[in-house]
């Protein structure tokens, strides 16, 4: 079961302008614990894979890439889980 805060955050990011979404993701990553980052990673990845609308899926890929970049900057490592 997906936690509401993950769904809410991703939905907000999807409806923001690119720069605002990047700022929001950066703020989220900066304040998140490793466990929360792992859970958001899983949610964002699953949401992206399961999205059937191309435009929406493309946007999710960009958000996921930004999330992973910022996560790697924070943690000093990049973990690919596809």
């Amino acid at each position: 079961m997906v936690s509401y805060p993950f769904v809410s955050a991703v939905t907000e990011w999807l409806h923001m302008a690119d720069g605002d979404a990047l700022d929001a993701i950066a703020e989220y990553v900066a304040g998140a614990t490793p466990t929360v980052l792992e859970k958001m990673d899983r949610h964002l990845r699953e949401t992206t894979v399961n999205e059937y609308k191309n435009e929406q899926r493309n946007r999710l890929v960009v958000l996921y890439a930004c999330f992973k970049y910022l996560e790697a900057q924070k943690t000093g490592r990049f973990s690919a889980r596809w």
Side-chain angles (χ1 to χ4, degrees), residues 10 13-14 21 25 44 59-68:
V10 172
W13 298 343
L14 281 168
I25 294 168
L44 203 59
R59 174 80 170 156
L60 285 163
V61 167
V62 170
L63 295 177
Y64 185 72
C66 292
F67 174 85
K68 292 304 290 182

Side-chain angles (χ1 to χ4, degrees), residues 40-57:
M40 175 54 89
D41 179 283
R42 187 176 320 120
H43 172 69
L44 203 59
R45 185 171 15 101
E46 289 174 1
T47 301
T48 302
V49 168
N50 292 321
E51 178 57 53
Y52 64 93
K53 294 179 183 174
N54 284 336
E55 185 176 322
Q56 191 85 330
R57 186 176 36 240

